Amino acid sequence: MYENQQKNEYEKVSHTRVNNINFFLVNLTYRTPHTHRDFEILQVIEGELHVKTLTEDFIAGPGEIVLFNPDTFHMLYSVQSSCVVLAIQADPSFCLAHYPAIQHIRFDTANITSGIPFPEALDIIHVCLNLGYHYCRKDKGFELRCLSDLYRLFSYFVMFVPYHLENELGVFHSKEKERRFTRIINYIHQHYTEKITLSALAESENLSMTYLSHLFKDAAKMSFQEYLNSLRFEHALLLLKKTDMSITEICLESGFSDSKYLNKRLKAACHLSLKDFRNTDSNPDRSISGRGDDQFIYTPEEGLEILRKHYHFECDDR
């Protein structure tokens, strides 16, 4: 079942300009569920970003910061039509020589801005922007500035973001669990409009249905069927708003056998019927992309112009 999914399990991070650090700006609509072996810091520049992990579901607005541990499943999509995000990816070994504990640290939340005191949160925002600025400009000695900024970021994280330490065995089991759930959820996201059963997933993972059911609920905080239906519901609403397909066609395209469940869930969530929900949408854009990644990564030169558009950098005055 998973032969074609396993190769997409990890995002391969390429550290091109500075060893152990990667930076880019991306215009993102949807990023499929994935993990990577790096820490990842995201800062929203434009729009709002919907973030989902196995344990958290939140929206980050302009300026807010998101932090993912290595090997942490996450998916991203914009709340509006698109969202511009600054991304910093750092191999955990970047400070190993000076701070060996980094290999065992696991931060307890990805939604870090809301829990950090305002002055320090503002400093973190500025440090992220400065790192991106120097990374894109590539001035003489920029590598040292980038590393200095990255060290400063993690000093703030260690001071103000709750975390716990895992031993090597704990890290191994945690990674194995994340990888297993990433395989399962990747498969669900690729095939949720088709017939998917818990028994087939359990068989593919050599697990009992009971064990997988409990494992799924513990990690995702909802049952397998609830998660599957939530994906189908979101896809149906997107088709309802962005296409002229009939209700029957939308149900079939989203994986529902008929419109009764869809209509009932919409009324519970929005107090609207399917017809009324469609009529409230005034968005003239009727285009819709597929279920794959929908993102555009800017060149360093383009990224620099976007940063300058939103923020003033003192280096530009010299």
Side-chain angles (χ1 to χ4, degrees), residues 251-271:
C251 289
L252 293 175
E253 176 67 20
S254 303
F256 293 114
S257 57
D258 58 54
S259 63
K260 292 180 182 178
Y261 175 85
L262 182 59
N263 197 53
K264 181 179 179 180
R265 180 156 183 168
L266 184 60
K267 283 186 176 180
C270 306
H271 305 290

Side-chain angles (χ1 to χ4, degrees), residues 202-203 206-213:
E203 183 178 353
N206 295 316
L207 300 172
S208 70
M209 283 182 57
T210 302
Y211 181 83
L212 180 57
S213 177

Side-chain angles (χ1 to χ4, degrees), residues 19 27 31 107 118 217:
N19 191 31
N27 190 312
R31 179 68 175 91
F107 294 100
F118 180 76
K217 197 158 189 176

Side-chain angles (χ1 to χ4, degrees), residues 225-272:
Q225 196 61 49
E226 287 171 334
Y227 189 84
L228 178 61
N229 285 339
S230 70
L231 292 179
R232 290 172 172 173
F233 181 65
E234 289 177 1
H235 188 65
L237 293 190
L238 192 61
L239 293 174
L240 196 63
K241 290 191 294 183
K242 299 289 188 178
T243 75
D244 294 316
M245 295 170 64
S246 70
I247 301 300
T248 300
E249 289 173 331
I250 288 173
C251 289
L252 293 175
E253 176 67 20
S254 303
F256 293 114
S257 57
D258 58 54
S259 63
K260 292 180 182 178
Y261 175 85
L262 182 59
N263 197 53
K264 181 179 179 180
R265 180 156 183 168
L266 184 60
K267 283 186 176 180
C270 306
H271 305 290
L272 293 171

Side-chain angles (χ1 to χ4, degrees), residues 10 24-25 32 37 70 121 130 168 186 234 247 257 262:
Y10 274 96
F24 56 91
L25 260 76
T32 53
R37 292 180 173 87
N130 284 331
E168 291 185 5
N186 262 326
E234 289 177 1
I247 301 300
S257 57
L262 182 59

Side-chain angles (χ1 to χ4, degrees), residues 19 23 39 125 138 159 162 220 241 264 267 308 311:
N19 191 31
F23 170 90
F39 283 104
I125 291 171
K138 202 179 179 182
M159 287 177 65
K241 290 191 294 183
K264 181 179 179 180
K267 283 186 176 180
R308 284 171 168 160
Y311 301 94

